């Protein structure tokens, strides 16, 4: 097997690690490309496992990138959300399988973990690496990695609400939301939203959008319907598509993408909506990478 074939066997998994670590398609692809360059230069006579070597390289690159990007994140205009990634074309079974670890809510939650802790948690909980391998990747002892994963799991569990929502139920609620929004149905919108509903928008200072989080069903419904009445927004069309593992709503103006909205559903109601309209974060929806 030549260098490229060996690398390509692991490319999708490497991108999956990097994307979850960074929440950015472009940055994840950069990490994978850098790993390939290092793979080409490596004396592979002493490499026992290409997968282990490449995972180690990508993970360490991502940890360094997270640390260097921290200052840029602090001055980011408005709320920051992960870059949406399409997961359609793989069928409901695959969507259900990846929904949890690719969901916007989960990726946002990962950002609260330190880079090393985030890596250990992902490698163990999402990619099912044993602690000995994780220790080699992070340059720590297995015992230390166990403690890191335990702390991360505790923080994630504490902050994450777990409600089992089937793909069918999720899709049903999203369709109702899209229909109510398009029809200007205030009462239906309010009914679909939970009492503590939140709308978070990532505009990056480059698009017209809510500048801060909107809380409560009344405020969210009025904002959505108010935007619909404006001339510019009246020209938008909507479509449904699997994004980050679940049915989501895409908005377009003509052929141009305007934004994507992903949803967190709890007990038949919308708990949170994540709306990305920063044009720099929409490229992957038309040029999808390969991700696990």
């Amino acid at each position: 097997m030549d260098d490229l074939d060996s690398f390509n066997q692991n490319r999708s998994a490497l991108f999956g690690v990097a994307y979850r670590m960074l929440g950015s398609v472009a940055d994840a692809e950069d990490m994978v490309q850098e790993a390939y360059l290092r793979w080409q230069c490596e004396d592979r006579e002493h490499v026992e496992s290409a997968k282990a070597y490449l995972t180690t390289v990508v993970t360490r690159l991502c940890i360094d990138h997270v640390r260097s990007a921290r200052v840029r994140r602090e001055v980011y205009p408005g709320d920051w959300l992960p870059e949406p990634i399409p997961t359609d074309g793989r069928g409901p079974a695959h969507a259900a399988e990846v929904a949890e670890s690719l969901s916007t809510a989960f990726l946002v939650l990962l950002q609260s973990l330190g880079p090393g802790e985030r890596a250990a948690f992902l490698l163990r909980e999402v990619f099912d690496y044993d602690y000995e391998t994780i220790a080699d990747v992070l340059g720590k002892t297995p015992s230390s990695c166990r403690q890191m994963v335990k702390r991360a799991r505790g923080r994630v569990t504490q902050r994450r609400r777990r409600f089992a929502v089937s793909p069918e139920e999720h899709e049903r609620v999203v369709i109702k939301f899209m229909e109510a929004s398009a029809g200007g149905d205030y009462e239906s919108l309010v009914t679909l939203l939970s009492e503590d509903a939140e709308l978070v928008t990532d505009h990056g200072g480059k698009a017209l959008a809510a500048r801060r989080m909107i809380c409560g069903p009344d405020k969210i419904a009025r904002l959505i319907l108010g935007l619909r009445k404006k001339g510019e927004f009246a020209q938008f069309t909507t479509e449904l598509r699997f994004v980050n593992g679940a049915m989501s709503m895409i908005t377009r103006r003509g052929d141009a993408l305007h934004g994507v909205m992903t949803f967190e559903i709890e007990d038949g109601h919308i708990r949170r909506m994540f709306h990305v309209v920063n044009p720099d974060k929409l490229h992957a929806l038309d040029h999808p990478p390969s991700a696990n």
Side-chain angles (χ1 to χ4, degrees):
M1 182 181 298
D2 63 26
D3 297 348
L4 183 59
D5 287 341
S6 182
F7 179 82
N8 282 338
Q9 280 192 349
N10 296 285
R11 179 185 290 274
S12 180
L14 296 174
F15 178 85
V17 172
Y19 173 71
R20 289 171 176 84
M21 278 288 296
L22 306 177
S24 166
V25 172
D27 290 342
E29 290 177 333
D30 286 346
M31 300 302 105
V32 173
Q33 180 62 25
E34 177 62 27
Y36 176 62
L37 295 176
R38 297 191 183 193
W39 175 243
Q40 287 184 306
C41 298
E42 180 66 29
D43 179 5
R44 284 179 294 284
E45 182 179 345
H46 304 293
V47 175
E48 295 182 6
S49 166
K51 179 180 179 181
Y53 171 85
L54 292 167
T55 300
T56 299
V57 171
V58 164
T59 302
R60 291 178 179 176
L61 286 170
C62 287
I63 289 173
D64 290 342
H65 186 83
V66 170
R67 289 170 176 160
S68 66
R70 186 168 297 165
V71 174
R72 296 196 302 273
R73 186 71 55 79
E74 289 174 353
V75 297
Y76 187 83
D79 292 308
W80 179 95
L81 291 174
E83 184 176 349
I85 185 171
T87 51
D88 44 8
R90 306 183 184 190
H94 186 276
E97 177 186 339
V98 303
E100 178 63 20
S101 71
L102 279 179
S103 71
T104 306
F106 182 71
L107 295 176
V108 168
L109 187 52
L110 286 178
Q111 302 303 310
S112 66
L113 303 177
E117 202 173 52
R118 190 185 312 174
F121 179 77
L122 283 172
L123 292 176
R124 179 60 184 169
E125 298 294 299
V126 176
F127 295 96
D128 200 31
Y129 281 81
D130 58 50
Y131 284 107
E132 287 71 21
T133 302
I134 297 172
D136 289 340
V137 171
L138 298 182
K140 297 181 178 294
T141 65
S143 176
S144 175
C145 290
R146 285 180 184 274
Q147 290 301 313
M148 291 173 69
V149 173
K150 182 179 179 180
R151 287 195 302 269
R153 187 187 297 124
R155 293 175 63 184
V156 169
T157 301
Q158 182 181 25
R159 297 183 58 181
R160 180 172 55 184
R161 302 184 180 192
R162 295 189 64 88
F163 287 80
V165 179
S166 69
E168 294 78 15
E169 172 71 0
H170 186 103
E171 182 174 344
R172 183 188 67 82
V173 174
V174 172
I175 289 174
K176 283 190 172 184
F177 174 83
M178 185 175 72
E179 292 173 344
S181 300
D185 189 342
Y186 169 83
E187 294 298 334
S188 293
L189 280 176
V190 169
T191 301
L192 284 169
L193 298 167
S194 66
E195 293 184 357
D196 57 350
E198 298 173 348
L199 169 61
V200 183
T201 301
D202 181 336
H203 53 79
K206 298 183 178 182
L208 180 62
R211 287 330 198 205
R212 56 185 176 81
M213 181 189 297
I214 307 299
C215 302
D218 175 69
K219 290 183 178 180
I220 293 174
R222 290 185 185 280
L223 173 67
I224 291 171
L225 297 183
L227 291 175
R228 286 281 174 184
K229 291 178 181 178
K230 293 186 176 182
E232 179 183 356
F233 287 88
Q235 301 174 36
F236 288 176
T237 59
T238 57
E239 62 188 66
L240 295 177
R241 188 172 176 186
F242 275 99
V243 176
N244 287 87
M247 188 61 75
S248 305
M249 194 171 77
I250 305 290
T251 54
R252 294 181 182 272
R253 187 177 185 182
D255 293 331
L257 276 166
H258 170 261
V260 57
M261 185 176 287
T262 56
F263 301 81
E264 183 179 9
I265 310 295
E266 293 182 358
D267 195 25
H269 294 82
I270 298 171
R271 166 69 179 88
R272 285 196 289 177
M273 295 179 288
F274 303 97
H275 193 201
V276 176
V277 293
N278 182 345
D280 294 341
K281 292 188 174 185
L282 300 176
H283 300 299
L285 293 172
D286 281 334
H287 304 88
S290 176
N292 282 335

